[in-house]
Amino acid sequence: MRGANVDSVEILERLIEFPTVSQVSNLALIDFVAELLRDRGVACELVHDKDKQKANLFATIGPTDRPGVMLSGHTDVVPVDGQNWTVPPFALTEDEGRLYGRGTADMKGFIACALSAALRATSMDLRTPLHLALSYDEEIGCMGVRSLIDVLEMARIRPHLCIVGEPTGMAVATGHKGKMAARCTCTGREGHSALAPLAVNAIHMGVDFVGELRAEQDRLAHHGARDDDYDIPYTTVHVGKMNAGVALNIVPNLCTLDFEIRNVAADDPEMILNRLRAAAGKIAKNARENAPEAAMEIDVTNAYPGLDVPLTSSAVAFVKSLTGANSTIKVAFGTEGGLFNQRLSIPTVICGPGFMAQGHKPDEFVSLEQLRRCDQMLDALLARLCDPRGLAGE
Ligand SMILES: [Zn+2]
């Protein structure tokens, strides 16, 4: 891939061929990207995981003594197991203006456009730099990017604003809910079912806790914070998995429940969790009357913050000016933007090609038209980065 310009579709074709499912290494893809950039004299900083199997990549094109605009994307994709694909998932198939393949929408399409723009930028006289931030393990709870954020936190200069290219159909999105995932482990006392009242049934404890979660959901729906920009305008609480029981004639002594809280910006998930812990404490206290070993433990397994960038933020006006949008949206899915915003105070908006309706599904695709709109936005961005007055007028 040499020559002055490399088209985003050509890059996307290569990116899709790396089966970077979150469980496996993304290093082959990262090496490919790093080599593309190094060929144009761009230095790449890699931040590896502890096993050196995965890496984040950070690169700056243009001046390094001032903050620039960061384009952010995750390199991992969700698995294809059990899905009924009619095209090969890890090869790009073009058909009637659609580009099919795992990750085309979520979100290698954006990464391809961002890389193509970065390569064009190397032959331009940028006055404001362009930063690229590629992460791993986003799909398992925004895990990989955290070590990149640690590095950016220590850096002398932080990006001025960030565009996370998750698929929004090229609309400018200013927010998403936060998420906290947790496991509740209920410990009771085993016994013969004929003598059930002498034991402590962990499933019963778990079901009591589900009742508390549903009461909490009720409270949040009716008295919690509201944000009418979302389809579900309040914080949600939900149990996704319950594991317990061995046989009908054994009183089970263990039950685990996986649940999550997806909060609007104005609700604090820690406060909600504290109420749930208090409710679990009461259930355990009652159970201990029969068995002193009875317990309810709640462990947070994953959490990322929501994003809620004020509409008055200059970053919102800037990205709207790049796409020509005159309105903004909020999205249902989480992104790394919440972490960039919370931990680094970088104003962050979400804007990328394709739609999440096609993400995570068989025959995932992005339309050529969406990719071209993204290319156009990034062309407009490069023009602004060349402005000798800096990002004036943003
Ligand atoms: Zn994504």
Side-chain angles (χ1 to χ4, degrees):
M1 291 205 169
R2 284 163 201 275
N5 285 338
V6 184
D7 188 74
S8 41
V9 176
E10 202 180 322
I11 298 175
L12 181 59
E13 184 168 12
R14 296 294 301 277
L15 295 179
I16 295 299
E17 286 167 7
F18 298 102
T20 48
V21 177
S22 309
Q23 286 81 348
V24 304
S25 172
N26 73 337
L27 291 183
L29 182 150
I30 291 292
D31 285 347
F32 163 74
V33 172
E35 205 179 301
L36 262 187
L37 292 167
R38 277 185 201 126
D39 272 356
R40 312 296 176 97
V42 178
C44 296
E45 185 172 357
L46 302 191
V47 182
H48 287 88
D49 70 340
K50 65 176 188 334
D51 301 327
K52 299 251 182 281
Q53 289 304 305
K54 297 173 183 172
N56 298 298
L57 179 149
F58 187 78
T60 297
I61 298 102
T64 52
D65 62 344
R66 64 199 81 165
V69 173
M70 178 162 81
L71 303 179
S72 147
H74 60 84
T75 61
D76 60 319
V77 295
V78 294
V80 297
D81 309 295
Q83 294 189 340
N84 193 14
W85 283 72
T86 63
V87 291
F90 297 110
L92 196 70
T93 304
E94 192 172 348
D95 187 35
E96 296 194 345
R98 288 175 172 183
L99 301 161
Y100 291 87
R102 169 57 84 224
T104 45
D106 183 14
M107 56 179 290
K108 290 176 172 177
F110 177 79
I111 294 177
C113 295
L115 279 171
S116 172
L119 296 179
R120 289 198 296 287
T122 58
S123 56
M124 297 168 92
D125 183 19
L126 297 194
R127 303 304 179 90
T128 303
L130 179 71
H131 309 289
L132 277 184
L134 305 185
S135 70
Y136 63 89
D137 282 358
E138 188 272 350
E139 295 287 4
I140 55 173
C142 301
M143 297 309 291
V145 74
R146 292 168 204 249
S147 59
L148 175 59
I149 288 176
D150 292 340
V151 172
L152 291 176
E153 207 166 28
M154 303 302 291
R156 201 166 42 86
I157 295 165
R158 287 182 195 174
H160 180 65
L161 73 90
C162 172
I163 301 172
V164 175
E166 292 276 3
T168 60
M170 293 308 293
V172 178
T174 61
H176 60 73
K177 292 181 182 178
K179 179 180 151 184
M180 179 183 273
R183 169 164 293 182
C184 175
T185 306
C186 316
T187 307
R189 174 182 283 179
E190 210 164 36
H192 194 296
S193 63
L195 305 171
L198 302 178
V200 173
N201 190 317
I203 294 181
H204 294 187
M205 296 168 74
V207 169
D208 285 350
F209 185 66
V210 173
E212 295 293 341
L213 287 172
R214 297 189 67 183
E216 179 64 29
Q217 175 66 90
D218 221 42
R219 180 161 45 239
L220 291 165
H222 294 104
H223 309 292
R226 282 188 79 83
D227 185 339
D228 286 309
D229 290 336
Y230 292 108
D231 290 341
I232 308 293
Y234 48 82
T235 297
T236 58
V237 179
H238 139 100
V239 187
K241 208 172 161 191
M242 186 170 186
N243 244 333
V246 177
L248 182 57
N249 60 0
I250 301 173
V251 176
N253 66 353
L254 188 68
C255 174
T256 61
L257 291 158
D258 292 344
F259 67 96
E260 64 173 28
I261 301 165
R262 288 184 182 255
N263 65 290
V264 296
D267 275 335
D268 179 359
E270 289 291 346
M271 277 178 61
I272 297 167
L273 191 69
N274 285 343
R275 283 200 291 270
L276 294 172
R277 282 190 199 282
K282 279 188 195 149
I283 296 169
K285 189 163 172 277
N286 285 340
R288 275 198 290 273
E289 288 175 10
N290 254 9
E293 70 269 39
M296 298 277 283
E297 256 175 63
I298 296 178
D299 299 301
V300 174
T301 50
N302 181 253
Y304 60 74
L307 178 69
D308 191 26
V309 181
L311 294 184
T312 50
S313 158
S314 57
V316 176
F318 180 73
V319 179
K320 278 166 76 181
S321 77
L322 298 180
T323 65
N326 45 29
S327 61
T328 60
I329 61 166
K330 288 184 181 169
V331 288
F333 53 86
T335 77
E336 295 169 337
L339 285 166
F340 286 130
N341 196 54
Q342 184 194 58
R343 288 196 45 203
L344 301 173
S345 304
I346 302 174
T348 300
V349 299
I350 310 155
C351 180
F355 296 89
M356 203 50 111
Q358 275 88 48
H360 299 206
K361 285 194 182 158
D363 292 350
E364 176 178 352
F365 71 87
V366 66
S367 74
L368 201 51
E369 183 259 352
Q370 282 284 314
L371 275 195
R372 292 308 175 216
R373 279 180 62 190
C374 188
D375 287 335
Q376 280 166 16
M377 168 180 83
L378 296 177
D379 271 337
L381 172 64
L382 294 182
R384 297 290 287 275
L385 298 180
C386 290
D387 191 325
R389 295 166 300 173
L391 294 182
E394 79 176 53

